[in-house]
Amino acid sequence: MSMEMQLEGFSELEDALDDLSKSAGRGVLRRSLMKAAEPMADLMRSRAPHGQGDLEESIAVSSKLSKRQAAEHRAMFRDQRAAVEMFVGAGALPQAHQSEFGNEHQAPQPFARPAWDQDQQALLDRLGGHLWAEFEKSLARAQRKAAKG
């Protein structure tokens, strides 16, 4: 399965981020991704099957993965390095993938993929707005700090 997305304005944003320190730029990206992804996590929670233990409560936006997830992620993206990564989904609960994909005893009850299908373009739109807003705040902080020094 392939997917095409048209992203605009990100090269200008990347140029603008060069005006900030690396750590400030990563902070802008991290905060923006977190804010933009939270509505998708809410959508996943609303679609998650009820009565599946802590499944609904485990759905979160985070930069952290469980040890098993981190190992699989490193293996998949061994040659790629990103400044910031954010993950949206259920924690490392067995019922998460059992609910999403089903098994021999249970029919699938997808909640993550339908949320992605419904919200992916809106997430990208939110991300663009949050990135510019966070960039402007960080640039203003950097300028105030430079004026003091």
Side-chain angles (χ1 to χ4, degrees), residues 40 43-45 47 111-120:
M40 183 176 287
L43 189 55
M44 284 183 189
R45 286 184 207 103
R47 291 174 169 269
F111 60 93
R113 181 56 189 240
W116 167 255
D117 289 342
Q118 179 182 336
D119 198 47
Q120 65 182 326

Side-chain angles (χ1 to χ4, degrees), residues 36 118-127:
Q118 179 182 336
D119 198 47
Q120 65 182 326
Q121 187 59 51
L123 181 137
L124 291 172
D125 294 341
R126 287 190 303 269
L127 179 58

Side-chain angles (χ1 to χ4, degrees), residues 17-102:
L17 285 170
D18 287 340
D19 294 340
L20 298 175
S21 68
K22 266 189 172 178
S23 61
R26 280 195 294 274
V28 165
L29 293 171
R30 193 175 4 269
R31 287 187 302 274
S32 300
L33 285 166
M34 184 74 77
K35 287 178 187 176
E38 192 55 48
M40 183 176 287
D42 289 339
L43 189 55
M44 284 183 189
R45 286 184 207 103
S46 72
R47 291 174 169 269
H50 303 293
Q52 294 283 326
D54 296 331
L55 178 58
E56 288 176 76
E57 293 80 26
S58 78
I59 296 172
V61 179
S62 176
S63 60
K64 306 280 189 236
L65 294 172
S66 70
K67 283 185 179 185
R68 180 189 57 77
Q69 291 169 329
E72 289 177 9
H73 184 267
R74 275 193 305 274
M76 257 193 296
F77 299 102
R78 183 170 296 137
D79 298 330
Q80 298 176 12
R81 292 281 182 246
V84 175
E85 292 179 324
M86 201 60 62
F87 305 96
V88 182
L93 301 174
Q95 62 265 42
H97 72 271
Q98 298 292 331
S99 293
E100 183 77 15
F101 301 109

